[in-house]
């Protein structure tokens, strides 16, 4: 029996009224992805990797087959989006979210919409079982939530076309909240569900919440208590979950045609979602502050480094120049001394003028004196050593020149100053305004 009802569309006309939380998350997201001055772009140009914040929280719903997972999503969105029924209805993963247009997306398009979920493709065969449903509903906090509906879990002969345990575990790790549904029917103690929950609790136990779903079908209060005891005992038996004192609220989809006297804690689920959204808003604003500081400190450390590099380059350039000049000057002087030595005083005076000729004569005199001081059989060795020394000087000049660090161009420095001003004058005041907005919303909501 499959309960495919005709789709009634909630909020067919796009409502322009959005909640402050939605606006804050959207504006923060825009600050990151803006094509001109997006923080992601600025950070990339500085060699820093930033991730834009998510605009919505992810709530994964998992549990036994027919536990009411899809029905809960439909109830939350107040639209019949997901197929429900007693047969195995949900066989893959569906991202259910709100948007401007009612749309159904298949694998590729879905992962295009949620690129950070792309690694799920590492699990063989899962591609054909990923889809997305976009609804226009804005009921409750649906515009700030993306639900992930998961395949119903069963034990035994059921063959899944992909490694369902790994896929749910991986998706659960990405989610902000994980709701685990246990229904009071025979399936309540499905081993597969318990295995996955145990695995997930190793890494993200704090975001897992258990619910006894379809509680209105559990019979009398005593029966319900018995089922609950049974489930809790089974959970406590697992070493990874042995932290007795589980909370397991009872929930069911309210049905006006079939009123039940059973306590329904479904509103508590909505409050949990709301709380997680508020935490996400706070986290996003805090992250924005941290990312701004990271960008500013990266810019100032780059400018500091540039200043030291400029000084270093100056001293390296001086060393290179001195070595190069000596490497050229010494052999030239040596050769000139021999030439000048062969000329007479009159020829020199005529050639260089009297003053310069005298200086030259003194210099060449010293060099010739030194040269004659070297024993004749050592003169060849001296020339070789002297040549080697001059070569070494030229080599050092080249070495010093190549040691220069790359410094920032004027354009790059201007750009960095611009980025820094933009963060200080635009982004930070905007963040402060958004925080104020958030606090005002809290004050209004909690009537403070
Ligand atoms: N009485 C009662 N019936 C419910 C409730 N929630 C769901 N159902 C019914 O239980 C059946 C299964 O519900 P689904 O929402 O399809 O369950 P599911 O967990 O998505 O199932 P799979 O996708 O097959 O794993 C449907 O016939 C629903 O109408 C509830 O709170 N109370
Ligand atoms: Mg389902």
């Amino acid at each position: 029996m499959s309960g495919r009802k005709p789709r009634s569309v909630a909020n067919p006309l796009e409502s322009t009224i959005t909640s402050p939380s939605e606006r804050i998350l959207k504006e923060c997201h825009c600050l990151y992805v803006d094509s001109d001055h997006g923080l992601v772009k600025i950070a990339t140009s500085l060699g820093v990797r930033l991730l834009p914040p998510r605009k919505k929280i992810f709530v994964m719903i998992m549990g036994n087959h027919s536990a009411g997972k899809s029905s809960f999503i439909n109830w939350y969105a107040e639209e019949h989006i997901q197929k429900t029924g007693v047969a195995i209805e949900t066989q893959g993963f569906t991202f259910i979210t709100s948007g401007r247009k009612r749309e159904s997306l298949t694998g590729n398009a879905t992962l295009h919409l949620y690129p950070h979920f792309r690694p799920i493709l590492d699990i063989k065969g899962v591609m054909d079982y990923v889809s997305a449903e976009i609804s226009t509903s804005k009921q409750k906090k649906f515009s700030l939530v993306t639900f992930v509906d998961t395949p119903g879990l069963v034990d035994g002969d059921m063959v899944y076309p992909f490694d369902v345990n790994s896929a749910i575990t991986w998706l659960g790790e990405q989610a902000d909240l994980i709701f685990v549904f246990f229904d009071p029917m025979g399936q309540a103690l499905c081993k597969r569900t318990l295995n996955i929950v145990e695995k997930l609790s190793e890494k993200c136990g704090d975001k897992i919440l258990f619910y006894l779903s379809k509680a209105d079908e559990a019979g009398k209060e005593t029966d319900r208590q018995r089922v609950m005891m049974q489930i809790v005992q089974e959970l406590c038996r697992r070493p990874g979950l042995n932290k007795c004192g589980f909370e397991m609220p009872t929930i069911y989809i309210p049905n006006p045609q079939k009123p039940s006297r059973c306590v329904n804690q479904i509103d508590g689920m909505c409050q949990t979602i709301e709380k997680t959204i508020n935490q996400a808003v706070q986290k996003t604003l805090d992250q924005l502050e941290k990312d701004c500081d990271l960008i500013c400190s990266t810019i100032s450390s780059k400018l500091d480094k540039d200043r030291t590099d400029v000084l270093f380059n100056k001293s390296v350039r001086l060393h290179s120049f001195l070595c190069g000049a000596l490497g050229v000057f010494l052999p030239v002087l040596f050769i000139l001394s021999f030439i000048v030595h062969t000329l007479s005083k009159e020829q020199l005076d005529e050639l260089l003028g009297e003053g310069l000729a005298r200086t030259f004569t003194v210099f060449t005199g010293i060099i010739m004196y030194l040269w004659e001081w070297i024993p004749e059989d050592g003169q060849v060795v001296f020339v070789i050593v002297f040549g080697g020394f001059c070569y070494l000087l030229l080599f050092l000049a080249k070495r010093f020149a190549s040691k220069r660090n790359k410094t920032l161009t004027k354009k790059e420095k201007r750009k960095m100053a611009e980025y820094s001003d933009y963060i200080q004058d635009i982004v930070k005041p905007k963040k402060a305004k958004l925080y104020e907005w958030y606090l005002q919303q809290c004050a209004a909501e909690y009537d403070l």
Side-chain angles (χ1 to χ4, degrees):
M1 190 186 81
S2 159
R4 180 143 209 162
K5 294 178 197 154
R7 270 169 181 171
S8 59
V9 176
N11 284 1
L13 294 171
E14 196 216 338
S15 154
T16 49
I17 304 156
T18 49
S19 68
S21 294
E22 189 176 1
R23 271 190 208 159
I24 294 169
L25 288 175
K26 262 196 186 144
E27 293 213 12
C28 282
H29 191 263
C30 282
L31 285 173
Y32 279 79
V33 299
D34 185 82
S35 56
D36 287 333
H37 277 96
L39 296 187
V40 173
K41 199 176 153 199
I42 293 178
T44 310
S45 75
L46 298 169
V48 178
R49 210 173 100 85
L50 283 191
L51 280 176
R54 292 172 176 176
K55 280 188 277 186
K56 299 180 182 191
I57 61 158
F58 280 87
V59 181
M60 184 178 89
I61 303 185
M62 59 165 288
N64 305 331
H65 149 60
S66 219
K69 302 179 289 295
S70 306
S71 302
F72 171 76
I73 296 169
N74 291 347
W75 171 81
Y76 193 89
E78 296 180 32
E79 184 178 332
H80 195 85
I81 306 167
Q82 284 293 83
K83 210 170 152 188
T84 59
V86 286
I88 296 182
E89 297 292 357
T90 314
Q91 290 183 347
F93 296 95
T94 314
F95 293 81
I96 298 126
T97 196
S98 86
R100 280 189 210 142
K101 244 171 72 190
R102 182 73 184 91
E103 198 126 33
S104 300
L105 306 177
T106 53
N108 242 330
T110 305
L111 293 173
H112 192 73
L113 192 66
Y114 299 106
H116 32 275
F117 283 96
R118 203 156 260 284
I120 201 174
L121 293 184
D122 291 345
I123 298 165
K124 232 177 88 202
V126 85
M127 178 66 163
D128 296 333
Y129 292 89
V130 176
S131 60
E133 294 292 338
I134 299 162
S135 145
T136 51
S137 164
K138 294 222 186 285
Q139 302 306 313
K140 306 183 185 74
K141 295 282 176 185
F142 188 54
S143 47
L144 288 167
V145 185
T146 296
F147 285 108
V148 185
D149 197 4
T150 60
L153 300 171
V154 285
D155 286 332
D157 298 336
M158 171 78 181
V159 181
Y160 291 88
F162 51 85
D163 181 352
V164 70
N165 292 35
S166 304
I168 296 186
T169 311
W170 188 83
L171 277 169
E173 282 166 15
Q174 319 307 311
D176 297 282
L177 267 180
I178 303 167
F179 289 157
V180 185
F181 281 15
F182 292 105
D183 59 309
M185 312 307 149
Q187 280 281 328
L189 300 174
C190 170
K191 286 201 172 43
R192 194 188 286 275
T193 309
L194 295 175
N195 289 345
I196 298 176
V197 169
E198 194 173 19
K199 190 95 205 288
L200 270 172
S201 75
E202 282 169 19
K203 279 196 183 163
C204 42
D206 52 333
K207 57 186 184 193
I208 304 178
L209 295 167
F210 300 100
Y211 292 96
L212 180 73
S213 59
K214 292 165 70 168
D216 57 331
E217 282 195 357
K220 292 200 293 280
E221 183 60 29
T222 46
D223 296 332
R224 200 161 38 245
Q225 290 297 337
R226 193 173 39 78
V227 171
M228 209 125 86
M229 282 298 291
Q230 227 180 342
I231 299 172
V232 171
Q233 266 173 13
E234 200 62 34
L235 285 168
C236 286
R237 210 168 283 155
R238 299 280 174 144
L241 293 170
N242 197 359
K243 45 161 187 173
C244 286
F246 279 110
E247 263 192 57
M248 192 175 293
T250 49
I251 58 153
Y252 57 93
I253 311 292
N255 184 352
Q257 270 113 56
K258 242 173 82 186
S260 167
R261 278 195 289 157
C262 167
V263 180
N264 194 357
Q265 290 167 286
I266 202 161
D267 290 338
M269 289 180 91
C270 300
Q271 279 158 17
T272 306
I273 292 176
E274 227 173 297
K275 215 169 91 191
T276 311
I277 293 169
N278 285 341
Q279 281 166 357
V281 174
Q282 278 178 47
K283 263 193 236 162
T284 305
L285 287 169
D286 290 345
Q287 192 59 44
L288 175 61
E289 179 84 31
K290 276 189 206 148
D291 289 342
C292 286
D293 291 343
L294 176 68
I295 291 178
C296 289
S297 66
T298 310
I299 291 179
S300 65
S301 71
K302 273 190 189 286
L303 291 175
D304 279 349
K305 187 179 172 296
D306 188 62
R307 272 190 283 275
T308 350
D309 283 346
V310 168
L311 286 179
F312 176 77
N313 285 357
K314 260 190 198 158
S315 96
V316 155
R317 213 177 300 135
L318 183 70
H319 283 96
S320 166
F321 173 76
L322 286 177
C323 289
L326 269 179
V328 174
F329 177 72
L330 287 179
V332 167
L333 190 68
F334 189 68
I335 295 161
L336 266 182
S337 301
F338 280 93
I339 299 168
V340 168
H341 193 65
T342 57
L343 300 175
S344 68
K345 191 175 176 306
E346 290 73 28
Q347 281 173 318
L348 256 181
D349 286 348
E350 207 176 301
L351 209 70
L352 300 171
E354 218 172 292
L356 200 58
R358 199 175 310 129
T359 323
F360 250 85
T361 322
V362 173
F363 266 113
T364 53
I366 296 169
I367 287 166
M368 290 322 290
Y369 173 78
L370 289 173
W371 174 250
E372 271 152 30
W373 185 70
I374 299 165
E376 241 173 65
D377 49 352
Q379 283 177 342
V380 178
V381 179
F382 173 79
V383 171
I384 296 172
V385 172
F386 180 68
F389 177 66
C390 293
Y391 178 78
L392 183 72
L393 283 174
L394 290 174
F395 174 78
L396 281 176
K398 203 174 150 214
R399 266 304 283 273
F400 278 126
S402 67
K403 265 177 109 178
R404 272 191 293 172
N405 287 334
K406 197 177 170 295
T407 50
L408 297 172
T409 61
K410 267 195 188 149
K411 196 178 156 197
E412 281 170 328
K413 277 196 248 183
R414 207 178 329 117
K415 213 77 233 135
M416 282 191 193
E418 218 177 84
Y419 286 156
S420 192
D421 288 349
Y422 172 73
I423 303 266
Q424 299 295 353
D425 303 341
I426 310 283
V427 184
K428 285 207 168 184
K430 182 143 197 178
K431 189 244 139 186
K433 208 183 92 195
L434 291 175
Y435 221 112
E436 211 178 291
W437 218 357
Y438 169 71
L439 293 176
Q440 272 170 14
Q441 175 200 327
C442 290
E445 264 178 31
Y446 302 117
D447 201 16
L448 298 174

PDB file of all heavy atoms in Angstrom, residues 130-147:
ATOM      1  N   VAL A 130      20.946   8.960  -5.390  1.00  0.00           N
ATOM      2  CA  VAL A 130      21.001  10.274  -4.725  1.00  0.00           C
ATOM      3  C   VAL A 130      20.075  11.207  -5.501  1.00  0.00           C
ATOM      4  O   VAL A 130      20.132  11.262  -6.726  1.00  0.00           O
ATOM      5  CB  VAL A 130      22.444  10.841  -4.722  1.00  0.00           C
ATOM      6  CG1 VAL A 130      22.483  12.231  -4.136  1.00  0.00           C
ATOM      7  CG2 VAL A 130      23.377   9.931  -3.946  1.00  0.00           C
ATOM      8  N   SER A 131      19.227  11.897  -4.794  1.00  0.00           N
ATOM      9  CA  SER A 131      18.327  12.833  -5.483  1.00  0.00           C
ATOM     10  C   SER A 131      18.009  14.007  -4.559  1.00  0.00           C
ATOM     11  O   SER A 131      18.387  13.992  -3.380  1.00  0.00           O
ATOM     12  CB  SER A 131      17.038  12.125  -5.887  1.00  0.00           C
ATOM     13  OG  SER A 131      16.407  11.633  -4.728  1.00  0.00           O
ATOM     14  N   ALA A 132      17.341  15.000  -5.112  1.00  0.00           N
ATOM     15  CA  ALA A 132      16.953  16.157  -4.285  1.00  0.00           C
ATOM     16  C   ALA A 132      15.534  16.561  -4.630  1.00  0.00           C
ATOM     17  O   ALA A 132      15.108  16.443  -5.779  1.00  0.00           O
ATOM     18  CB  ALA A 132      17.903  17.316  -4.535  1.00  0.00           C
ATOM     19  N   GLU A 133      14.813  16.990  -3.633  1.00  0.00           N
ATOM     20  CA  GLU A 133      13.460  17.521  -3.833  1.00  0.00           C
ATOM     21  C   GLU A 133      13.463  18.951  -3.310  1.00  0.00           C
ATOM     22  O   GLU A 133      13.792  19.184  -2.140  1.00  0.00           O
ATOM     23  CB  GLU A 133      12.436  16.685  -3.045  1.00  0.00           C
ATOM     24  CG  GLU A 133      12.270  15.257  -3.513  1.00  0.00           C
ATOM     25  CD  GLU A 133      11.616  15.140  -4.898  1.00  0.00           C
ATOM     26  OE1 GLU A 133      10.925  16.093  -5.315  1.00  0.00           O
ATOM     27  OE2 GLU A 133      11.814  14.095  -5.550  1.00  0.00           O
ATOM     28  N   ILE A 134      13.149  19.867  -4.204  1.00  0.00           N
ATOM     29  CA  ILE A 134      13.097  21.268  -3.772  1.00  0.00           C
ATOM     30  C   ILE A 134      11.632  21.676  -3.668  1.00  0.00           C
ATOM     31  O   ILE A 134      10.862  21.479  -4.614  1.00  0.00           O
ATOM     32  CB  ILE A 134      13.870  22.172  -4.741  1.00  0.00           C
ATOM     33  CG1 ILE A 134      15.326  21.707  -4.745  1.00  0.00           C
ATOM     34  CG2 ILE A 134      13.789  23.630  -4.339  1.00  0.00           C
ATOM     35  CD1 ILE A 134      16.121  22.172  -5.907  1.00  0.00           C
ATOM     36  N   SER A 135      11.297  22.177  -2.519  1.00  0.00           N
ATOM     37  CA  SER A 135       9.897  22.536  -2.282  1.00  0.00           C
ATOM     38  C   SER A 135       9.811  24.034  -2.005  1.00  0.00           C
ATOM     39  O   SER A 135      10.791  24.640  -1.542  1.00  0.00           O
ATOM     40  CB  SER A 135       9.399  21.737  -1.074  1.00  0.00           C
ATOM     41  OG  SER A 135       8.494  22.482  -0.327  1.00  0.00           O
ATOM     42  N   THR A 136       8.661  24.608  -2.283  1.00  0.00           N
ATOM     43  CA  THR A 136       8.512  26.053  -2.043  1.00  0.00           C
ATOM     44  C   THR A 136       8.064  26.332  -0.607  1.00  0.00           C
ATOM     45  O   THR A 136       7.895  27.487  -0.215  1.00  0.00           O
ATOM     46  CB  THR A 136       7.481  26.651  -3.018  1.00  0.00           C
ATOM     47  OG1 THR A 136       6.308  25.853  -2.931  1.00  0.00           O
ATOM     48  CG2 THR A 136       7.999  26.699  -4.424  1.00  0.00           C
ATOM     49  N   SER A 137       7.868  25.274   0.151  1.00  0.00           N
ATOM     50  CA  SER A 137       7.378  25.437   1.520  1.00  0.00           C
ATOM     51  C   SER A 137       8.326  26.289   2.361  1.00  0.00           C
ATOM     52  O   SER A 137       9.549  26.197   2.233  1.00  0.00           O
ATOM     53  CB  SER A 137       7.234  24.059   2.165  1.00  0.00           C
ATOM     54  OG  SER A 137       7.129  24.199   3.553  1.00  0.00           O
ATOM     55  N   LYS A 138       7.727  27.120   3.211  1.00  0.00           N
ATOM     56  CA  LYS A 138       8.549  27.880   4.156  1.00  0.00           C
ATOM     57  C   LYS A 138       7.972  27.680   5.556  1.00  0.00           C
ATOM     58  O   LYS A 138       8.127  28.516   6.443  1.00  0.00           O
ATOM     59  CB  LYS A 138       8.532  29.368   3.790  1.00  0.00           C
ATOM     60  CG  LYS A 138       9.200  29.684   2.468  1.00  0.00           C
ATOM     61  CD  LYS A 138      10.042  30.925   2.572  1.00  0.00           C
ATOM     62  CE  LYS A 138      10.591  31.335   1.222  1.00  0.00           C
ATOM     63  NZ  LYS A 138      11.686  30.479   0.813  1.00  0.00           N
ATOM     64  N   GLN A 139       7.293  26.554   5.731  1.00  0.00           N
ATOM     65  CA  GLN A 139       6.665  26.302   7.022  1.00  0.00           C
ATOM     66  C   GLN A 139       7.726  26.059   8.094  1.00  0.00           C
ATOM     67  O   GLN A 139       8.832  25.623   7.792  1.00  0.00           O
ATOM     68  CB  GLN A 139       5.739  25.078   6.932  1.00  0.00           C
ATOM     69  CG  GLN A 139       4.642  25.200   5.887  1.00  0.00           C
ATOM     70  CD  GLN A 139       3.806  26.455   6.060  1.00  0.00           C
ATOM     71  OE1 GLN A 139       3.381  26.773   7.169  1.00  0.00           O
ATOM     72  NE2 GLN A 139       3.574  27.181   4.986  1.00  0.00           N
ATOM     73  N   LYS A 140       7.348  26.322   9.311  1.00  0.00           N
ATOM     74  CA  LYS A 140       8.255  26.204  10.468  1.00  0.00           C
ATOM     75  C   LYS A 140       9.598  26.852  10.093  1.00  0.00           C
ATOM     76  O   LYS A 140       9.612  27.970   9.610  1.00  0.00           O
ATOM     77  CB  LYS A 140       8.400  24.737  10.885  1.00  0.00           C
ATOM     78  CG  LYS A 140       7.039  24.077  11.147  1.00  0.00           C
ATOM     79  CD  LYS A 140       7.170  22.676  11.629  1.00  0.00           C
ATOM     80  CE  LYS A 140       5.838  21.989  11.762  1.00  0.00           C
ATOM     81  NZ  LYS A 140       5.221  21.607  10.492  1.00  0.00           N
ATOM     82  N   LYS A 141      10.713  26.093  10.267  1.00  0.00           N
ATOM     83  CA  LYS A 141      12.023  26.678   9.890  1.00  0.00           C
ATOM     84  C   LYS A 141      12.542  25.977   8.637  1.00  0.00           C
ATOM     85  O   LYS A 141      13.758  25.874   8.435  1.00  0.00           O
ATOM     86  CB  LYS A 141      13.026  26.498  11.038  1.00  0.00           C
ATOM     87  CG  LYS A 141      12.673  27.242  12.286  1.00  0.00           C
ATOM     88  CD  LYS A 141      13.026  28.713  12.157  1.00  0.00           C
ATOM     89  CE  LYS A 141      12.565  29.470  13.382  1.00  0.00           C
ATOM     90  NZ  LYS A 141      12.776  30.906  13.254  1.00  0.00           N
ATOM     91  N   PHE A 142      11.614  25.502   7.798  1.00  0.00           N
ATOM     92  CA  PHE A 142      12.034  24.691   6.651  1.00  0.00           C
ATOM     93  C   PHE A 142      12.993  25.424   5.721  1.00  0.00           C
ATOM     94  O   PHE A 142      13.857  24.805   5.092  1.00  0.00           O
ATOM     95  CB  PHE A 142      10.787  24.213   5.884  1.00  0.00           C
ATOM     96  CG  PHE A 142      11.095  23.218   4.801  1.00  0.00           C
ATOM     97  CD1 PHE A 142      11.803  22.062   5.085  1.00  0.00           C
ATOM     98  CD2 PHE A 142      10.680  23.441   3.500  1.00  0.00           C
ATOM     99  CE1 PHE A 142      12.099  21.135   4.090  1.00  0.00           C
ATOM    100  CE2 PHE A 142      10.966  22.528   2.494  1.00  0.00           C
ATOM    101  CZ  PHE A 142      11.677  21.378   2.795  1.00  0.00           C
ATOM    102  N   SER A 143      12.850  26.772   5.650  1.00  0.00           N
ATOM    103  CA  SER A 143      13.735  27.495   4.732  1.00  0.00           C
ATOM    104  C   SER A 143      15.195  27.480   5.201  1.00  0.00           C
ATOM    105  O   SER A 143      16.092  27.872   4.462  1.00  0.00           O
ATOM    106  CB  SER A 143      13.263  28.925   4.532  1.00  0.00           C
ATOM    107  OG  SER A 143      12.987  29.485   5.780  1.00  0.00           O
ATOM    108  N   LEU A 144      15.420  27.011   6.432  1.00  0.00           N
ATOM    109  CA  LEU A 144      16.799  26.980   6.947  1.00  0.00           C
ATOM    110  C   LEU A 144      17.307  25.568   7.192  1.00  0.00           C
ATOM    111  O   LEU A 144      18.325  25.371   7.854  1.00  0.00           O
ATOM    112  CB  LEU A 144      16.867  27.768   8.258  1.00  0.00           C
ATOM    113  CG  LEU A 144      16.752  29.273   8.083  1.00  0.00           C
ATOM    114  CD1 LEU A 144      16.520  29.968   9.396  1.00  0.00           C
ATOM    115  CD2 LEU A 144      18.005  29.804   7.431  1.00  0.00           C
ATOM    116  N   VAL A 145      16.557  24.595   6.677  1.00  0.00           N
ATOM    117  CA  VAL A 145      16.923  23.199   6.933  1.00  0.00           C
ATOM    118  C   VAL A 145      17.002  22.423   5.622  1.00  0.00           C
ATOM    119  O   VAL A 145      16.192  22.637   4.721  1.00  0.00           O
ATOM    120  CB  VAL A 145      15.840  22.500   7.805  1.00  0.00           C
ATOM    121  CG1 VAL A 145      16.275  21.092   8.181  1.00  0.00           C
ATOM    122  CG2 VAL A 145      15.536  23.299   9.043  1.00  0.00           C
ATOM    123  N   THR A 146      17.986  21.547   5.528  1.00  0.00           N
ATOM    124  CA  THR A 146      17.976  20.559   4.446  1.00  0.00           C
ATOM    125  C   THR A 146      17.883  19.203   5.141  1.00  0.00           C
ATOM    126  O   THR A 146      18.761  18.856   5.937  1.00  0.00           O
ATOM    127  CB  THR A 146      19.258  20.636   3.589  1.00  0.00           C
ATOM    128  OG1 THR A 146      19.284  21.909   2.957  1.00  0.00           O
ATOM    129  CG2 THR A 146      19.272  19.553   2.512  1.00  0.00           C
ATOM    130  N   PHE A 147      16.781  18.512   4.887  1.00  0.00           N
ATOM    131  CA  PHE A 147      16.650  17.174   5.460  1.00  0.00           C
ATOM    132  C   PHE A 147      17.312  16.166   4.521  1.00  0.00           C
ATOM    133  O   PHE A 147      17.262  16.325   3.293  1.00  0.00           O
ATOM    134  CB  PHE A 147      15.175  16.786   5.598  1.00  0.00           C
ATOM    135  CG  PHE A 147      14.482  17.484   6.737  1.00  0.00           C
ATOM    136  CD1 PHE A 147      13.548  18.481   6.485  1.00  0.00           C
ATOM    137  CD2 PHE A 147      14.754  17.145   8.056  1.00  0.00           C
ATOM    138  CE1 PHE A 147      12.902  19.129   7.533  1.00  0.00           C
ATOM    139  CE2 PHE A 147      14.110  17.788   9.105  1.00  0.00           C
ATOM    140  CZ  PHE A 147      13.186  18.785   8.844  1.00  0.00           C
TER     141      PHE A 147
END
